[in-house]
């Protein structure tokens, strides 16, 4: 019985080591992407083009950006653990502050939906073949996501936690946002206050900054 208990403890620790970064990545990316211009752009493109092709293109781009972010994050693993740990805290805190500030300054003159509509105009009047639409959608979303908050946050998480769990969590959030936008709920999301969305996202980032600080660096 004692041996069984001893075996169960490491197993439980392994599950926690995977579950914790998964939930963190899922939450942070979901809060970053919900109401983002990429989400609106995906919804708008799905109206103009085959929604299945748009979904595939958007998920391809988002997954690629997630893998690249995690790869760059793991490169930071060559740095001392204490450095990557506090780098993650600073990054989360800065992003949280920035999103809260943006939320307090939001107005209706220029918003994420306007930017998304400008983005999607690049596909107007182009070849409508499935391959061409897929390439254009993938390129459009990839460029929009490059070095944005969700990508940098994913990189920070991968640098200080399990990268495989981060990939799964971030991908899960990306799939959810893409399906919601293509399904038409992105139009509903556009009716929500962008101020509220930004403030909630900012508070979420600050929460993880504090939580990461309290948890301390992971032991090798």
């Amino acid at each position: 019985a004692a041996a069984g208990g001893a075996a169960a403890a490491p197993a439980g620790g392994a599950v926690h080591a995977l579950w914790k970064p998964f939930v963190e990545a899922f939450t942070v990316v979901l809060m970053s992407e919900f109401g983002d211009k990429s989400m609106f752009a995906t919804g708008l493109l799905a109206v103009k083009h085959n929604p299945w092709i748009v979904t595939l293109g958007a998920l391809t781009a988002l997954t690629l950006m997630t893998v690249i972010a995690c790869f760059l994050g793991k490169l930071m693993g060559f740095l001392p653990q204490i450095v990557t740990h506090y780098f993650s805290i600073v990054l989360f805190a800065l992003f949280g502050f920035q999103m809260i500030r943006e939320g307090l300054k939001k107005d209706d003159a220029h918003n994420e939906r306007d930017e998304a509509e400008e983005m999607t105009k690049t596909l107007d009047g182009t070849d409508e073949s499935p391959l061409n639409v897929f390439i254009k959608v993938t390129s459009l979303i990839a460029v929009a996501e490059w070095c944005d908050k969700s990508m940098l946050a994913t990189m920070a998480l991968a640098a200080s936690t399990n990268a495989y769990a981060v990939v799964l969590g971030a991908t899960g959030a990306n799939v959810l946002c893409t399906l919601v936008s293509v399904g038409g709920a992105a139009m509903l999301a556009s009716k929500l206050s962008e101020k509220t969305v930004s403030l909630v996202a900012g508070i979420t980032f600050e929460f993880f900054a504090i939580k990461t600080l309290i948890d301390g660096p992971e032991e090798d």
Side-chain angles (χ1 to χ4, degrees), residues 195-210:
K195 180 188 293 289
T196 300
V197 173
S198 294
L199 289 175
V200 171
I203 292 171
T204 300
F205 272 96
E206 296 297 348
F207 168 78
F208 281 112
I210 296 172

Side-chain angles (χ1 to χ4, degrees), residues 170-186:
T171 299
N174 286 328
V175 169
L176 178 59
C177 285
T178 300
L179 293 179
V180 166
S181 61
V182 172

Side-chain angles (χ1 to χ4, degrees), residues 118-188:
E118 289 295 323
M119 287 169 54
T120 58
K121 286 181 181 179
T122 61
L123 285 181
D124 292 344
T126 59
D127 180 8
E128 295 290 329
S129 67
L131 179 60
N132 188 66
V133 172
F134 171 79
I135 293 175
K136 288 293 183 66
V137 171
T138 302
S139 302
L140 189 69
I141 301 301
V143 170
E145 289 296 307
W146 181 255
C147 285
D148 80 335
K149 294 182 182 66
S150 61
M151 182 178 180
L152 294 176
T154 300
M155 184 175 72
L157 281 172
S160 58
T161 58
N162 187 294
Y164 298 107
V166 172
V167 168
L168 291 176
T171 299
N174 286 328
V175 169
L176 178 59
C177 285
T178 300
L179 293 179
V180 166
S181 61
V182 172
M187 303 307 170
L188 175 62

Side-chain angles (χ1 to χ4, degrees), residues 18-31:
L18 292 174
W19 179 248
K20 177 173 172 287
F22 174 88
V23 172
E24 290 179 348
F26 181 89
T27 305
V28 166
V29 173
L30 183 64
M31 290 292 97

Side-chain angles (χ1 to χ4, degrees), residues 3-219:
V15 171
H16 176 73
L18 292 174
W19 179 248
K20 177 173 172 287
F22 174 88
V23 172
E24 290 179 348
F26 181 89
T27 305
V28 166
V29 173
L30 183 64
M31 290 292 97
S32 299
E33 292 298 329
F34 190 82
D36 181 73
K37 60 180 178 293
S38 295
M39 184 176 178
F40 284 124
T42 301
L44 293 171
L45 289 169
V47 173
K48 299 179 180 180
H49 305 281
N50 186 308
W52 293 105
I53 296 176
V54 172
T55 300
L56 182 59
L59 288 178
T60 298
L62 293 170
T63 302
L64 178 62
M65 292 299 101
T66 298
V67 172
I68 291 176
C70 286
F71 173 74
L72 294 176
K74 293 316 292 182
L75 287 181
M76 295 177 61
F78 291 105
L79 298 173
Q81 183 69 32
I82 193 73
V83 174
T84 58
H85 174 72
Y86 286 106
F87 170 78
S88 302
I89 295 173
V90 170
L91 208 54
F92 283 136
L94 287 177
F95 284 166
F97 173 76
Q98 182 180 3
M99 296 189 80
I100 291 173
R101 185 179 64 178
E102 289 176 356
L104 294 175
K105 294 169 61 178
K106 287 285 185 183
D107 56 42
D108 297 328
H110 185 71
N111 54 38
E112 295 285 352
R113 183 180 175 82
D114 295 330
E115 293 184 19
E117 290 176 347
E118 289 295 323
M119 287 169 54
T120 58
K121 286 181 181 179
T122 61
L123 285 181
D124 292 344
T126 59
D127 180 8
E128 295 290 329
S129 67
L131 179 60
N132 188 66
V133 172
F134 171 79
I135 293 175
K136 288 293 183 66
V137 171
T138 302
S139 302
L140 189 69
I141 301 301
V143 170
E145 289 296 307
W146 181 255
C147 285
D148 80 335
K149 294 182 182 66
S150 61
M151 182 178 180
L152 294 176
T154 300
M155 184 175 72
L157 281 172
S160 58
T161 58
N162 187 294
Y164 298 107
V166 172
V167 168
L168 291 176
T171 299
N174 286 328
V175 169
L176 178 59
C177 285
T178 300
L179 293 179
V180 166
S181 61
V182 172
M187 303 307 170
L188 175 62
S190 67
K191 299 181 183 302
L192 295 176
S193 167
E194 287 192 33
K195 180 188 293 289
T196 300
V197 173
S198 294
L199 289 175
V200 171
I203 292 171
T204 300
F205 272 96
E206 296 297 348
F207 168 78
F208 281 112
I210 296 172
K211 184 176 185 300
T212 303
L213 178 63
I214 294 174
D215 289 345
E218 290 191 350
E219 297 182 358

